[in-house]
Structure formats: structure tokens, C-alpha cells
Amino acid sequence: MLDCKHNTELLSQSYDRPLTLREKMAMRMHLLMCRGCRNFEKQLAFIRKAARELPRKL
Amino acid sequence: MSAIDPEALQQQRSYLLRYAMLQLRDPHLAEDVVQETLVAAIENRSGFAAQSQPRTWLVGILKHKIMDVLRKRAREPQLSVAEGEDENELVDALFRQNGRWASPPQNWNEPEQAMENAHFWEVFEQCNRRMPLNSARAFMMREFMEMSTDEICHELSISTTNCWVILHRARLVLRECLDLNWFGNAR
């Protein structure tokens, strides 16, 4: 079973490389049971969006 | 050949400077690359005049100048061992021994609204500046300059795995900083 620390690594890497099917399944299973990681997932998406918006906000 | 408007160029200057600072975090280096960019723009004034969006065109030049500096730096010996250790400690502190969150992330209230708030962007820039240098550099290349992971690894002369680790740490640290300094305040 994936722990939060490793799950956040996979969540982050999903922005940098395609995850394997096995990794995706493990990540989804963990997310179903972990509210902290679900919040982290949403926040990562926000961070990407904000960073890419930044050049227009300078 | 059409004349170039020095005032129009000056207007872009402060924007370019902030852009360069975010990536280089060294006022002298930032000043240098912006100066080089403006010189290149003046030398190619017909190109500049033909632009409907001069800022986009200038940023295109600036990115190349920034990359030149980063490439040179990547070849220099690294003095950042201690920096890397600090970062490890910070990340380790976020998780317990068993790999669970020491303090699980709480919901962020209306993040989309934050993006409309000028003060939020100040906090966002400050958080970027507080990131350890290696993380900040890779993170900004990835998210701000929208380079691919492969390009970043290549430019910084690091392995792909190392690149993923650095980017992940950068996101963890940035998330923590935004939580502490912006979203946490609403709770």
C-alpha cells in the first residue's frame, strides 16, 4: 500500500512524465482513502495553473 | 527602417527585469540579461517594430539569454550540497516515519479567487524567492518558462530521476509556503 509521501511523489511526477498503469491505480486507490492527499492533488493543479499565469501578473 | 521608440522599450524593461529576477535571483545577472535583450532588440529594430506583441517577442529573446547564463552555471562546480540537505530536512519534516502526512493538507478556500488578488501574486513571488535555489531554478524552468523535463535535465546536466525529485520538492515547498502565508490565513 502506497503511503502519503510516495503518493505525493507520483502526483507530482504525473505533471512531468506519463505514469504507468500500475502507478495510476495505486495512486487512485490511495486518493480514495486519503483526504489530505486529495487536497494536495487539487493544490498541485492550482500551483501549476498559477505558475503559468505568473508571467501575465508581473 | 522604422525608428524604435525608446520609451516603449523602457516600458518593457521593468517587466523583463522582474521576469529575469524570478529565474536568476541575482539582480546583477538579471540586469545584464535584460540589457543584452534590449541591445539585441535595438540591433534588430525592424523585427521589433513588426511585432504586434513586442513583449512576447522580447521575452523570447530574454529566455535565450537566461538559458545561456543557466547553462554556464550548470557547468560550474556545484556548491549547493548544504542547500540540498536543508531541503531534504524540510521535506522530511512534512511526513512521519511511516510516510503519512505530519499535518495533512487542508482544503484551500476558493483558490481561483486568489488569482484575482494582486496581493496573492506578491505572496506567490515571495514564496518562489524563498525556495532553495536549485528547486526554484528547475521549477521556474518547468512551470514559468514551460520547458519539458528532458530539456531541463539536459540544461542543468542532471539525471531525469534527479530532475523529478527536485521538481517534486519545489512543489512541496511552494505548497507549504502558500498554505502558511495565504490560504492558511483564511482558516
Side-chain angles (χ1 to χ4, degrees), chain B residues 98-110:
Chain B
N98 62 11
R100 305 188 72 138
W101 289 101
S103 149
Q106 304 282 304
N107 186 47
W108 282 356
N109 205 21
E110 316 216 14

Side-chain angles (χ1 to χ4, degrees), chain A residues 4-44:
Chain A
C4 299
K5 189 174 180 183
H6 289 105
N7 188 50
T8 60
E9 287 169 10
L10 286 183
L11 281 167
S12 186
Q13 285 179 22
S14 72
Y15 285 90
D16 303 317
R17 68 173 174 98
L19 299 185
T20 65
L21 189 58
R22 180 190 286 257
E23 286 171 331
K24 279 187 209 163
M25 302 255 293
M27 196 174 83
R28 288 293 141 211
M29 282 294 286
H30 181 100
L31 285 169
L32 276 176
M33 288 176 293
C34 179
R35 183 191 297 268
C37 283
R38 283 200 297 276
N39 284 330
F40 182 79
E41 184 189 28
K42 280 187 261 172
Q43 291 160 7
L44 268 190

Side-chain angles (χ1 to χ4, degrees), chain B residues 109-144:
Chain B
N109 205 21
E110 316 216 14
E112 299 295 326
Q113 266 185 18
M115 294 187 25
E116 304 302 320
N117 188 326
H119 185 55
F120 168 77
W121 291 104
E122 284 169 28
V123 171
F124 195 84
E125 265 192 80
Q126 276 165 18
C127 285
N128 273 300
R129 279 201 293 273
R130 268 187 235 165
M131 259 194 246
L133 195 54
N134 279 344
S135 298
R137 190 168 293 155
F139 179 76
M140 294 309 269
M141 285 167 121
R142 181 78 186 100
E143 307 294 2
F144 186 62

Side-chain angles (χ1 to χ4, degrees), chain B residues 57-139:
Chain B
W57 186 69
L58 287 167
V59 167
I61 303 177
L62 181 65
K63 279 186 186 178
H64 284 285
K65 305 283 180 199
I66 291 173
M67 286 317 305
D68 287 343
V69 172
L70 295 179
R71 232 175 259 137
K72 256 181 238 158
R73 281 220 188 141
R75 283 197 296 266
E76 287 164 7
Q78 294 289 304
L79 298 167
S80 49
V81 179
E83 195 175 74
E85 280 171 2
D86 285 348
E87 213 169 337
N88 271 334
E89 277 171 26
L90 201 150
V91 171
D92 284 344
L94 295 176
F95 298 96
R96 294 179 208 279
Q97 287 275 288
N98 62 11
R100 305 188 72 138
W101 289 101
S103 149
Q106 304 282 304
N107 186 47
W108 282 356
N109 205 21
E110 316 216 14
E112 299 295 326
Q113 266 185 18
M115 294 187 25
E116 304 302 320
N117 188 326
H119 185 55
F120 168 77
W121 291 104
E122 284 169 28
V123 171
F124 195 84
E125 265 192 80
Q126 276 165 18
C127 285
N128 273 300
R129 279 201 293 273
R130 268 187 235 165
M131 259 194 246
L133 195 54
N134 279 344
S135 298
R137 190 168 293 155
F139 179 76

Side-chain angles (χ1 to χ4, degrees), chain B residues 33-44:
Chain B
V33 290
V34 168
Q35 203 56 39
E36 285 174 29
T37 301
L38 293 179
V39 168
I42 290 165
E43 280 172 353
N44 186 6

